[in-house]
Amino acid sequence: MLKKVKVILVVSAVISVMVLGFISVTLADKKPTVVVVLKEGDSQYWSIMRAGMEKGFKDFDIDGKVMVPSESTTQGQADLLMKTYKEKPDVIITAPIGSSVSPTLESFTDVPILLVNNDIPMKNKTAYIGTNNLELGKKAGAFLASQLQPGNKIAILGGELSNSVFRERIEGAKISLQNAGIKIAYLKTGIPNDTKTIQSVIKKLIRDQPDIKGVVTTHDRIALPVIKELKEQGLLIPVIGPDGLSEMVELIADETIPGTVGQNPYDMGYLSVETAMKVIKGENVEKFVDSGVEIIIKENSQQRLNFYEKIMK
């Protein structure tokens, strides 16, 4: 009987060791999880950012995924964020549609939240990874001013001022333009990403301000139709669109426009995943991780186009 008991104890001990060993190996093999919730995904800008994130998942050995709400609305994104939170990933990265999603994000008290692309006020934000939009605006204004003479008139065309990104870009552009002695003769905001509407705005601009010498926009979706309409009207003047997308860069390469400023959405995506990994490891991270802004001119335009071609394959 005693011998049987000893055998049972030995077998139990062996099984326990095996089970603990299996659990240890399983835990060791478990990758950190990061879920990204963007606000949209149907443009080149977001595709480039996504490519940067996917490279980050691979480099840092992260089980990561990028999601987009079926409807690009505050409620649609909030619902997707809530669903994501219930999955309990190690980190959530999101590009918020606006400050209206703050209450949803602030309810996620036990999962670190990283914001990418646009910053919003939040109590529990771990970090913001993206562009300093005030500085971007300053660079855009300074670059346009470098193509003009003091006293020249320009126009500023932008999206909704409720979007802090657009508001800061306009503010920055105004500072540089006014410092350079450039006159802001026309300012219109709240412009939708609609070609017909933008064409109508430009026709009115040319009619009201025929001596306009340049245009600053808050994003490329406005800049591109502006350039097209100006060209059709026989005007080849500098137009700044701050996203640096391939269609804008191509216009620089063929000398339709002298240059622009460009964000770095690929770096933005990669840095957001790198920051998530630092958070998972318990490392301190900066509250603002700057993905930078570049001046794009003919001399470096092909380099950016080649990079886009490589990552978008």
Side-chain angles (χ1 to χ4, degrees), residues 25-204:
V25 170
T26 302
L27 290 174
D29 288 344
K30 185 179 181 296
K31 293 181 179 182
T33 55
V34 174
V35 179
V36 181
V37 177
L38 299 179
K39 57 182 177 180
E40 58 178 285
D42 60 350
S43 71
Q44 186 191 51
Y45 180 86
W46 297 105
S47 296
I48 293 169
M49 186 185 296
R50 184 171 190 150
M53 290 169 168
E54 289 173 349
K55 182 65 165 61
F57 294 151
K58 182 178 179 181
D59 285 357
F60 300 109
D61 198 25
I62 286 173
D63 181 8
K65 61 181 176 180
V66 181
M67 305 172 71
V68 179
S70 56
E71 292 185 9
S72 186
T73 62
T74 299
Q75 190 58 53
Q77 189 179 45
D79 290 344
L80 184 55
L81 283 165
M82 184 59 71
K83 181 181 177 182
T84 298
Y85 171 70
K86 290 176 180 177
E87 296 174 4
K88 295 301 179 191
D90 293 309
V91 175
I92 294 174
I93 301 172
T94 185
I97 287 176
S99 56
S100 298
V101 298
S102 288
T104 299
L105 291 169
E106 287 177 342
S107 69
F108 304 165
T109 55
D110 55 346
V111 175
I113 305 297
L114 302 180
L115 302 184
V116 66
N117 186 72
N118 55 304
D119 200 6
I120 59 174
M122 264 181 58
K123 296 176 183 176
N124 59 327
K125 171 178 59 186
T126 300
Y128 161 62
I129 303 94
T131 303
N132 182 327
N133 286 291
L134 182 67
E135 289 303 315
L136 182 149
K138 287 180 180 179
K139 287 186 177 182
F143 181 77
L144 181 60
S146 72
Q147 310 296 313
L148 307 176
Q149 298 295 324
N152 283 165
K153 296 179 180 180
I154 66 96
I156 297 178
L157 307 177
E160 292 288 349
L161 291 185
S162 58
N163 185 326
S164 62
V165 169
F166 298 156
R167 191 167 62 247
E168 289 165 10
R169 290 177 184 178
I170 290 173
E171 183 183 347
K174 282 182 174 180
I175 291 170
S176 292
L177 290 163
Q178 289 168 352
N179 287 343
I182 305 298
K183 294 181 179 179
I184 302 169
Y186 188 85
L187 171 62
K188 184 172 180 60
T189 59
I191 301 173
N193 299 323
D194 174 70
T195 300
K196 287 186 178 180
T197 300
I198 295 168
Q199 287 174 336
S200 176
V201 168
I202 291 302
K203 287 175 181 176
K204 184 178 187 305

Side-chain angles (χ1 to χ4, degrees), residues 51 56 66 72 141 167 183 189 202 209 243 250 254 261 282 295 308:
V66 181
S72 186
R167 191 167 62 247
K183 294 181 179 179
T189 59
I202 291 302
Q209 302 286 344
D243 296 320
E250 286 165 0
D254 68 16
V261 295
I295 301 294
Y308 285 165

